[in-house]
Amino acid sequence: MNLEPTPLARARELRDRETLSPARMVVNASHDAVHDDAALEPPLVVDLDGTLLRSDLLVESFSATVATRPLKALGGLLALRHGKAALKARLAEDVQLDFAPMPWNEDLLDLLAAERARGRRLYLASAADRSLVEAVAAHFGFFDGVFASDGTTNLSGSAKAAALCAAFGEGGFDYAGNDKVDLQVWEKAAGVLVVNANARLTRQAVSRWPNATVLGQLRAEPRAYIKAIRVHQWAKNLLLVMPMLGAHLIDTADIVHCLIAFMAFSLCASSVYVMNDLADLARDRRHRTKRLRPFAAGTVPMLHGLVMIPVLLIASFGLAVLLPPYFVALLAIYYGITVAYSMGLKRQLMVDVVVLSLLYGIRLYAGAVAVGVPMSAWLGAFSMFLFTSLALIKRSAELADRSANGLGDPSGRDYRLSDLPVLEALAAASGFTAVLVMGLYVSSDAVRLLYSSPNRLFLICSVLVYWLGRILVLTHRNEMHEDPVFFAITDRASQVCGLLCLVIFAASL
């Protein structure tokens, strides 16, 4: 998110408009009087988390620490024994937060800029640790002072109300907040500003203070939550069905088992996706497209994300126990590898590609276990080369996009723009090796036991040659989505190729 010009610059612009035009000299003559009147008004005190910032600095601090020093983050939780303020102070130590791309409340910033231009005093009051609150105030440059937690006192609710009354007197300030705990502060304030609160709290505040000003309202958008758990990525888990189809075991019981396995892997993956997005907030906000992800953009509260992680994981394993124990073990291995990938393996040269390919293979193996059929060596070899190719295409697409937009080497990845030709060559080699494996499978004796017209399966090789060649060329042209699986789901030509493969498969039975 681009915050330029800054609110202070906007305030200066408002002042300049009043002073540069000769036609407004009469207005300017009374400007000082207006400025003095604003200075005599009660100061406007603004809450930070959820009000000025569509996020939470405690969760931001925890996520940033987990991403760089996970052991310190876990150790920081021990400080909770001494209270929430101690936890905030511990997590704020040495943390480096990038404030510029954070999801700030632009409507409130515009209001603050206008009030500052009038000469009104502005203060920032937050339950976040003082070091972070002071850094935010310095970032904007127009606050007259801050109130914050100090490692001992958690400045929230009644504690915040008491601090503001001690500084300005009861009824000596206006207050902008967004949370239920802010009711205790509004009780002591002269003016009430309800900013980005939920509908219930907004109605409650307006009922108690009819003259309250309402600026925006927090609305739960189901689409944002669906986007946060990346439901579109669940398509990858259709691989769990492949062993059942390959063994020609299509009955009601097997279909039910595959459906349970599909949902278990999907919910498990979504749990890791949420964890990954919370850990990668800083990088995502600097990314051209990832900055629009729900947590990075502030459309889904980060606290909700922290709740979603264990809920999705518990639901996943709750379904998994309905299947054989070996399936549960494979799901646990899958979860462990995906967490390791999110926490560090994805930043290692070629290790990330191998791990992504391995995760696809685990899906196939788990699908075989779910329906009780042996894993085909042919299917395993085919998937290994095909999914290695797709993982390499994913990295190639990222580099091609950065190169086309004049960006440098990616941060957080052990790749360089100069690596693009090598990755494209590896992707092509791995992909067409998968086609070769498919051809050898069709020529084998094993296939003749399963199909009445096995030679027709060679047509699938032709479809794969077209599809792989096409996406390789599109990647080179920078016309490929960063996720080739998502591209295949939404691309019309890919959909036609998938349909053709199904028709050929059915015609070969």
Side-chain angles (χ1 to χ4, degrees), residues 27 75 90 140 161 223 236 243-244 251 255 269 301 313-314 336-337 341 364 372 387 412 424 455 457 477 483:
V27 176
R90 179 67 180 273
F140 289 110
R223 287 179 298 178
K236 298 176 181 178
M244 180 185 71
D251 57 41
I255 291 174
L313 190 61
I314 291 171
I337 294 176
Y341 175 82
L364 286 172
F387 296 127
E424 289 178 330
N455 288 337
L457 294 174
R477 293 177 179 175
D483 188 338

Side-chain angles (χ1 to χ4, degrees), residues 7-25:
L8 186 55
R10 279 180 267 185
R12 289 174 180 149
E13 182 181 355
L14 289 170
R15 289 195 295 267
D16 291 343
R17 291 175 183 173
E18 294 181 349
T19 58
L20 294 178
S21 175
R24 300 197 59 175
M25 290 183 64

Side-chain angles (χ1 to χ4, degrees), residues 31-54:
H31 181 270
D32 290 342
V34 173
H35 194 282
D36 290 341
D37 288 342
L40 294 175
E41 292 179 12
L44 175 57
V45 182
V46 182
D47 179 42
L48 180 54
D49 295 333
T51 303
L52 182 61
L53 176 65
R54 298 181 189 274

Side-chain angles (χ1 to χ4, degrees), residues 298-455:
T299 54
V300 173
M302 295 177 65
L303 286 175
H304 291 191
L306 292 178
V307 174
M308 290 162 66
I309 292 172
V311 168
L312 289 167
L313 190 61
I314 291 171
S316 169
F317 279 89
L319 289 171
V321 296
L322 301 176
L323 297 174
Y326 197 26
F327 178 87
V328 179
L330 285 172
L331 182 62
I333 292 171
Y334 171 84
Y335 176 73
I337 294 176
T338 51
V339 170
Y341 175 82
S342 296
M343 294 296 104
L345 294 182
K346 66 181 180 180
R347 302 182 182 92
Q348 305 301 316
L349 178 66
M350 288 304 297
V351 173
D352 59 336
V353 171
V354 174
V355 170
L356 285 176
S357 177
L358 178 61
L359 292 175
Y360 286 119
I362 290 176
R363 289 179 174 96
L364 286 172
Y365 199 16
V369 171
V371 295
V373 299
M375 178 66 179
S376 168
W378 289 108
L379 182 58
F382 173 79
S383 65
M384 179 182 70
F385 288 110
L386 178 63
F387 296 127
T388 297
S389 176
L390 293 179
L392 288 163
I393 288 172
K394 178 180 175 69
R395 291 292 171 258
S396 298
E398 293 171 353
L399 294 180
D401 181 69
R402 295 187 68 87
S403 178
N405 288 281
L407 303 175
D409 295 336
S411 61
R413 304 280 189 189
D414 196 12
Y415 292 96
R416 304 171 185 171
L417 295 183
S418 58
D419 298 331
L420 181 56
V422 177
L423 294 179
E424 289 178 330
L426 290 173
S430 184
F432 286 101
T433 300
V435 178
L436 175 61
V437 172
M438 180 67 183
L440 293 174
Y441 167 69
V442 174
S443 303
S444 68
D445 293 333
V447 77
R448 302 187 185 282
L449 299 176
L450 296 172
Y451 299 88
S452 60
S453 303
N455 288 337

Side-chain angles (χ1 to χ4, degrees), residues 160-183:
K160 182 185 289 187
L164 295 179
C165 287
F168 307 115
E170 185 173 339
F173 60 94
D174 292 348
Y175 181 72
N178 77 298
D179 199 79
K180 186 176 180 180
V181 296
D182 292 321
L183 290 169

